[in-house]
Amino acid sequence: MEFSYVVRRLLSAIPTVLLVTFMVFLAIHLVPGDVVDIMLGTQNYLTQDQIEELYREYGLDKPLIVQYGIWVKNLFTFNLGTSLRTGKSVTELLGERFPVTLELAVFSLFFALVIGIPLGIISAVKRNTFTDNVVRVIGLIGLSSPSFWVGAILIVLFSGVFENFNLFGYVSMSSNLIDNLQVMLLPSLTLGLMVSAQILRMTRTSMLDILTQDYVRTARAKGVNSRNLIMKHVLKNALIPVVTLSGIQLGYLLGGTIVIENMFALPGMGRLLLQVVNERDYPVVQGIVLFIGVLIVLLNILVDILYTVIDPRVELR
């Protein structure tokens, strides 16, 4: 059942992903200035024939719909093309940048869950108390604060307290684990704090809904220990919406880390996307959008499968 469900979901997602790539393709081509204009700049010493030759070499002399059709055709051979600026294959560029973004997204989600779920549980259990109000205010601040502002505050705090702390640049985990964790701490914490506010609110709402169920009142009437009741029964049943939100947020983190990667000088996909959009490097833009779209589809399918693990009563149809 799960295999057929995955196949159906993948097949149904193909038109959506292609539509997204087509819209991005049109948008990037409609922006004034193309890759040839940007490469030549103001110091243009080429003749008109030479410029036209560049357009033919890059395949930009064909109508947009033909260019997109060629790109889609190449997908069937798993060819995402080559960068118009560097000559590297798009697959190679993604392979270089994706591990950085993946590490940032996973660490950010880890911080979000570690912070958001416990606070959500406390807020639900202590409903309408001073503690609940404080936690809800913290969540509201987290939802209202832009990531670049939170990142700037953390940079100022850490640079003032820890003078030798590595704040910028990137060191791979295989090169130096300690330096890698130092470099990734602040950007991960910045994004994690933003997402934790949403995890907090979802956990609280879901917990409050479960706490009003008849079986919870019956268990309390029978004298079941409150801690065991919360952790073994209520929390498990309240996790499904949290898992859904976590999967959505992981997709957001994988595709939306442009600001933080630029702020902390991390060579991830977000920073690459900003660079290639500015350079009008069309194949790389298309490759990144396709890659992120496929990742989000796979994450959604994975979340659906996790439902059946958390609650065996859930059936995939």
Side-chain angles (χ1 to χ4, degrees):
M1 175 65 72
E2 289 185 359
F3 178 75
S4 61
Y5 172 80
V6 170
V7 172
R8 290 198 308 271
R9 285 291 302 273
L10 289 174
L11 292 177
S12 65
I14 291 175
T16 303
V17 173
L18 289 178
L19 178 61
V20 171
T21 60
F22 181 69
M23 293 174 63
V24 172
F25 179 85
L26 286 180
I28 190 65
H29 279 82
L30 292 176
V31 174
D34 54 36
V35 63
V36 175
D37 293 332
I38 294 174
M39 289 173 61
L40 297 178
T42 57
Q43 303 298 321
N44 181 12
Y45 299 106
L46 300 183
T47 64
Q48 187 61 34
D49 291 340
Q50 291 173 323
I51 293 175
E52 291 176 358
E53 179 61 30
L54 278 177
Y55 279 101
R56 282 192 294 271
E57 182 179 345
Y58 291 141
L60 301 178
D61 58 324
K62 301 178 178 65
L64 291 183
I65 191 65
V66 175
Q67 294 182 40
Y68 182 76
I70 293 173
W71 181 79
V72 172
K73 178 183 176 182
N74 290 334
L75 287 182
F76 289 99
T77 59
F78 301 99
N79 177 17
L80 296 180
T82 58
S83 169
L84 301 180
R85 298 302 297 266
T86 65
K88 283 187 175 182
S89 70
V90 175
T91 304
E92 182 181 354
L93 287 172
L94 292 175
E96 293 173 355
R97 301 299 186 102
F98 177 65
V100 181
T101 299
L102 178 63
E103 184 181 357
L104 176 59
V106 170
F107 282 169
S108 300
L109 187 61
F110 169 78
F111 282 122
L113 294 174
V114 167
I115 297 171
I117 291 180
L119 288 179
I121 295 173
I122 293 170
S123 181
V125 173
K126 304 289 185 180
R127 182 183 183 183
N128 295 331
T129 64
F130 175 76
T131 301
D132 179 29
N133 291 332
V134 170
V135 173
R136 291 169 69 182
V137 169
I138 292 173
L140 183 61
I141 293 173
L143 288 172
S144 307
S145 303
S147 59
F148 65 86
W149 182 80
V150 175
I153 295 297
L154 291 177
I155 289 172
V156 172
L157 289 176
F158 271 75
S159 61
V161 177
F162 306 102
E163 296 181 357
N164 296 323
F165 198 88
N166 292 332
L167 294 176
F168 303 103
Y170 178 73
V171 180
S172 66
M173 191 176 292
S174 59
S175 299
N176 191 314
L177 179 59
I178 301 301
D179 287 346
N180 173 266
L181 294 178
Q182 285 188 17
V183 167
M184 298 300 293
L185 176 62
L186 286 192
S188 300
L189 187 58
T190 300
L191 290 173
L193 288 173
M194 312 300 296
V195 177
S196 67
Q198 301 181 46
I199 299 291
L200 185 161
R201 290 167 65 90
M202 181 60 73
T203 303
R204 180 182 185 276
T205 302
S206 184
M207 287 283 293
L208 288 176
D209 180 60
I210 300 298
L211 286 170
T212 60
Q213 299 295 318
D214 291 337
Y215 79 89
V216 176
R217 288 195 291 266
T218 302
R220 282 177 170 169
K222 291 182 176 181
V224 176
N225 182 274
S226 295
R227 181 181 294 273
N228 290 335
L229 178 63
I230 294 297
M231 301 307 296
K232 291 184 178 180
H233 301 285
V234 177
L235 180 60
K236 182 177 180 180
N237 290 323
L239 276 181
I240 288 184
V242 177
V243 169
T244 302
L245 181 61
S246 299
I248 294 172
Q249 290 301 317
L250 182 58
Y252 156 76
L253 291 170
L254 288 171
T257 58
I258 296 175
V259 173
I260 297 303
E261 286 183 358
N262 276 277
M263 178 178 285
F264 290 93
L266 297 175
M269 285 201 309
R271 195 176 185 191
L272 175 64
L273 181 60
L274 180 62
Q275 175 186 340
V276 295
V277 167
N278 289 331
E279 295 176 344
R280 311 292 192 273
D281 199 339
Y282 308 125
V284 184
V285 174
Q286 289 293 103
I288 294 176
V289 171
L290 174 67
F291 188 70
I292 293 174
V294 171
L295 277 179
I296 292 176
V297 170
L298 294 177
L299 282 173
N300 288 334
I301 295 174
L302 178 61
V303 167
D304 290 346
I305 294 175
L306 284 177
Y307 287 165
T308 62
V309 177
I310 296 172
D311 189 350
R313 295 173 299 177
V314 177
E315 294 184 4
L316 299 177
R317 297 182 181 275

